Amino acid sequence: MISRQLTLEDKRLEPVAEKVQAGERLSFEDGVALYHSNDLLALGWLANHVREQKHGNLCYYNINRHINPTNTCVAHCRLCAFGRDANAPGAYTMALEEVLRTAATGYDEAVTEFHIVGGLHPDLPFEYYLDLLRGLKERFPHVHLKAFTMVEIHYLSRISKLPVRDVLLKLKEAGLGSLPGGGAEIFHPRVRKVICDHKTSGQMWLQVARNAHELGLHSNATMLYGHIETAEERVDHLLQLRALQDETRGFVCFIPLAFHPDNTALSHLPKTTGFLDLKNIAISRLLLDNFPHIKAYWIMLTPPIAQVGLRFGADDIDGTVIEEKIYHDAGAKTAQALRRSELLRLIHEAGRDPVERDTLYRPVTRTADGQPRVDTTLAVNV
Ligand code: V47
């Protein structure tokens, strides 16, 4: 039998590789060394080693639907092609009925999650968001509502004049199940000043996440890479997430997001490459030792790169999605949805064993007529 062994072409990685294999935590300097190395196969080997220790051969996916209730946004982030001024061509805001109609369309298979994010609307009252969650919960009681990034929560706190904690409590009462990981971008103020000048600061993003976790709401976390950030700024971002996770244990999954420049104010920047995409998956798996899951989000990576990502540290490929707007406005050429059969093919061909999961990574089984069943007494897989 051939034993799987690590071959290091970049000998400078030796001390880091030893730490990973001994299960030791990596430092800031280790993270920077990983980013500066082009020994992609070694990074992938090490990340896969950690991934298989945590999840064996399993690969998670879900049956979900994205809903973006409005693209009207006051933030004007340079990184974004989705947000519009209220009167600009293409600006839209869904009435509650429209949100409910949208939620019911897509594939005929029952979804287990609505992923709901939108712009920072200048006029919608806080009640709109509460009504939206209540309406969805009433019409789709078994679907988990993963809604509103930390940036949206911070904005809702401003418009409602309520503390972040109270905003979260009211949303939770209305049906909020957990929070998606968006809006984190890169925490370092130098980068935020250029790519998302008027947005919630990195420190406030972390504080909102802390508040959510303290109230028993789990969340995801993201990092937007491939624009103007340095290796040091990426590592700083990842280690700030790791430190908060040590404190709260509230993060479920980390998603490295590749920047798509088309139709943004940063359209002069080149697109990310497969090499950088795989490097970010691998390094996030290695640095975020306390995060249960790393997602290779097929929408932004493309299905082929996401599939290879399942051997470079990722244990999740996300879901059916059904309707994606944020990346497609920024020039993504991927499909806007994948069927379960297509997700399964990607996972099987990568040699992994697929597990349908709910938002909190509990296994989902289906009844003969396709209805999802989740044992909610099971501990969240954190
Ligand atoms: O915060 C915006 C990013 C994020 C662009 O939690 C862009 O499961 C690339 O967070 N190019 C929203 N990225 C999406 C998001 C997400 C996606 C999938 C799953 C989950 C999850 C979360 O999209 C934003 C921003 O970082 N984004 N514009 C762009 N031009």
Side-chain angles (χ1 to χ4, degrees), residues 304-335:
I305 295 283
Q307 183 187 40
V308 179
L310 301 181
R311 296 251 156 213
F312 275 73
D315 60 279
D316 188 297
I317 198 162
D318 202 70
T320 45
V321 178
I322 301 187
E323 192 181 14
E324 204 290 323
K325 293 197 169 92
I326 297 175
Y327 296 104
H328 286 84
D329 281 356
K333 300 285 184 286
T334 49

Side-chain angles (χ1 to χ4, degrees), residues 66 79-80 115 146 180-183 185 220 222 224 255 257-260 264 295 297 318 326-327 330:
H66 283 213
L79 68 92
C80 182
H115 168 114
K146 182 182 78 179
E185 322 311 1
N220 290 340
T222 56
L224 186 72
I255 309 125
L257 297 171
F259 178 56
H260 285 49
T264 74
K295 187 186 288 185
Y297 184 38
D318 202 70
I326 297 175
Y327 296 104

Side-chain angles (χ1 to χ4, degrees), residues 78-79 184-188 190-192 194-196 223-230 233-234 237 257-261 264 266 268-272 276 280:
R78 287 196 189 90
L79 68 92
E185 322 311 1
I186 289 279
F187 292 140
H188 199 288
R190 180 196 77 87
V191 178
R192 275 185 119 68
V194 177
I195 69 169
C196 55
M223 174 176 78
L224 186 72
Y225 65 88
H227 39 88
I228 61 148
E229 83 288 1
T230 62
E233 286 157 346
R234 284 183 208 140
H237 183 96
L257 297 171
F259 178 56
H260 285 49
T264 74
L266 299 171
H268 56 284
L269 294 177
K271 292 187 169 66
T272 69
L276 187 67
N280 273 288

